[in-house]
């Protein structure tokens, strides 16, 4: 398999913005119209159109109408409106190409052993596998840290790249191979009891090492309508080839309520992630009613995670204070920061983080599925059912900084919590889907409902939402701290978010001439997702921002 992804992107250029705010902007069709030579190294001629120099006006009086609703701006001043050619000159364009290649070779032998048990013959399987993966990244000049490391000079300390928002990276060609052997035995102990044993050994390229993981599964058909089942196994996840190098990606993150340069780096000492897993459950089948219920428990060790930039920042500058600057106990953490001046929360130019092996993580929960089928009403076939997952716990141990015993994240049970700005996770305790379906001949109609319980903000995530209040305190003392009110607004704590619901209707008709016509209405009631603190003001891991969507499709088979 080979997959190639080509992305062409525009982003604001820091250098051009700086020049345009000072009156040395140019037009897109004449980018050299305001050169350093013409303006005495940008000291004279600001805003001189005869030299091709223009100001960029960042204020709203340069905007005639709203792009959202078309409303006229009463403060618009045409004399300070921006020339579209000057605005276009602020942007740079680049093309990135990501190529993924995968080669897999398998050989499997299987058969019966000749050993007879009360439930039948013992069966076996054995085989081997070879996997080769390659990831090639080629970046355009404006995104390539080797070609353009800085906004406006050939070398700089933070190497944040020339772009205002997107970061930069270096070309890479990473590959890895894995060799594996495996075996499986199936024991039909009786007609009602079946036991399955499996084992797999994998050997990874480089310093990752090798692993052997066994698995046992048991199913007991207690009676015709009830069966019990369970599995236990160990698992192993090796770090990808791009994570175990010394390469770093440059980007931006929200640190201290502001976007700042951020560098994510690999870790040559990264160890594989391992887990012990087991589940037990039951299967029920009574005529038209069927159901399953399972309890699962996963225990991860050396989980592969990235150090949280927001929590590194909070550990260095608790409460936005500079008390840890110069503190020997925080010297290793301070060294992760690049400052524009002295050490201080307001002077952070860049922060570096690493991919690390995290603490032990224990997660458990219950999964349930049920369905009832019957024939009757309107001479058709009916079915109702649903499935749900309840997350009992998602406990993570304390996370410390790589190379130093400095806590950056406390022990935390993430079940029911979310952080969609800093750590990008959301773990609702309850998620469920339900449906009702009707089938009559070639016509089928299905109504389905999706539910996701709301979450509470995790440690370190935003805890307040701004609500307008014209009577709010406007004194300097109130504005200085994170108080409850200031300058015409209140800061209200964000508790648990509201649950997300979505209802969909799907109609399918098996038409003549080997055709199928499908019509659907997604989000029938046109509901917005509930507010959750994130860059998009909703939980983008479960919510749907599109509103009502109507779709019609026709499929013809030849």
């Amino acid at each position: 398999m080979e997959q190639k992804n080509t992305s062409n992107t525009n982003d604001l250029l820091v250098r051009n913005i700086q020049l345009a705010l000072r009156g040395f902007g140019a037009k897109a069709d004449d980018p050299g119209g305001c050169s350093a030579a013409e303006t005495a190294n940008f000291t004279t001629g600001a805003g001189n159109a005869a030299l091709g120099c223009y100001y960029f006006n960042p204020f709203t009086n340069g905007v005639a109408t709203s792009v959202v609703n078309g409303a006229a701006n009463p403060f618009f001043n045409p004399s300070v409106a921006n020339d579209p050619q000057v605005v276009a000159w602020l942007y740079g364009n680049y093309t990135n190409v990501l190529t993924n290649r995968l080669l897999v070779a398998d050989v499997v032998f299987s058969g019966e052993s000749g050993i007879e048990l009360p439930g039948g013959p013992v069966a076996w399987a054995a085989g081997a596998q070879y996997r080769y993966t390659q990831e090639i990244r080629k970046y355009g000049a404006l995104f390539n840290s080797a070609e353009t490391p800085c906004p406006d000079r050939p070398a700089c300390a933070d190497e944040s790249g020339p772009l205002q928002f997107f970061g930069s990276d270096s070309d890479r060609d990473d590959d890895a191979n894995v060799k594996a052997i495996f075996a499986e035995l199936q024991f039909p102990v009786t007609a009602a009891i079946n036991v399955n044993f499996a084992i797999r050994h994998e050997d990874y390229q480089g310093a990752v090492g090798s692993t052997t993981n066994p698995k046992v599964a048991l199913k007991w058909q207690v009676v015709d309508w009830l069966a019990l089942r369970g599995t236990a196994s160990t698992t192993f996840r090796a770090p990808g080839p791009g994570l175990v190098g010394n390469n770093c990606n440059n980007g931006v993150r929200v640190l201290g309520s502001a976007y700042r340069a951020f560098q994510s780096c690999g870790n040559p000492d990264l160890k594989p992630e391992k887990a012990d897993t087991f589940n037990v459950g039951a299967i029920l089948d009574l005529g038209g009613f069927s159901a399953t219920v399972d309890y699962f428990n996963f225990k991860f060790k050396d989980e592969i995670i990235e150090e949280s930039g927001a929590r590194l920042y909070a550990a260095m500058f608790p409460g936005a204070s500079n008390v840890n600057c110069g503190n020997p106990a925080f010297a290793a953490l301070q060294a992760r920061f690049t400052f524009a001046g002295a050490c201080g929360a307001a002077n952070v130019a860049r922060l570096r983080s690493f991919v690390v092996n995290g603490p032990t993580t224990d997660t458990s929960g219950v999964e349930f599925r049920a369905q009832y089928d019957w024939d009757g009403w309107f001479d058709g076939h009916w079915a109702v059912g649903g499935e749900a997952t309840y997350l009992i716990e998602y406990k993570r141990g304390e996370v410390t900084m790589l190379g130093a015993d400095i806590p950056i994240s406390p022990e935390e049970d993430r079940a029911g919590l979310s952080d969609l700005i800093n750590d990008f996770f959301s773990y609702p305790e309850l998620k469920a889907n339900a449906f009702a379906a009707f089938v009559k001949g070639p016509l089928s109609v299905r109504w389905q409902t999706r539910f996701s319980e709301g979450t509470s903000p995790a440690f370190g995530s935003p805890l307040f939402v701004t609500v307008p209040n014209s009577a709010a305190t406007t004194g300097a003392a109130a504005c200085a701290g994170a108080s409850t009110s200031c300058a015409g607004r209140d800061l209200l704590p964000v508790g648990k978010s509201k649950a997300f619901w979505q209802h969909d209707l799907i109609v399918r008709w098996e038409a003549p001439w080997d055709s199928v016509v499908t019509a659907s209405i997604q989000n029938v009631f046109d509901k917005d997702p509930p507010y959750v603190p994130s860059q998009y003001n909703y939980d983008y891991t479960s919510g749907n921002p599109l509103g009502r969507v109507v779709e019609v499709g026709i499929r013809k088979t030849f």
Side-chain angles (χ1 to χ4, degrees), residues 305-331:
I305 62 173
E306 182 187 344
E307 293 172 317
S308 166
R311 297 188 180 187
L312 286 169
Y313 182 93
M316 184 67 204
F317 306 107
S321 71
N322 300 330
V323 295
N324 292 328
C325 287
N327 184 342
F330 287 82

Side-chain angles (χ1 to χ4, degrees), residues 273-319:
E273 174 186 302
K274 300 180 181 180
D276 298 322
T277 72
F278 78 89
N279 73 280
V280 292
I283 305 171
L284 188 67
D285 193 349
L286 285 170
F289 178 75
S290 63
T292 63
V293 59
D294 291 276
Y295 167 81
F296 63 87
N297 185 291
F298 304 145
K299 184 174 183 177
F300 296 92
K301 295 168 286 187
D302 295 323
E303 186 179 7
I304 299 174
I305 62 173
E306 182 187 344
E307 293 172 317
S308 166
R311 297 188 180 187
L312 286 169
Y313 182 93
M316 184 67 204
F317 306 107

Side-chain angles (χ1 to χ4, degrees), residues 137 167 179 191-192 259 266 278 381 404 427 433 472 494 506 536:
R137 296 176 180 267
K179 306 176 186 71
Y259 281 107
F278 78 89
H381 178 80
Y427 296 109
N433 297 296
V494 176
I506 303 99
Y536 309 107

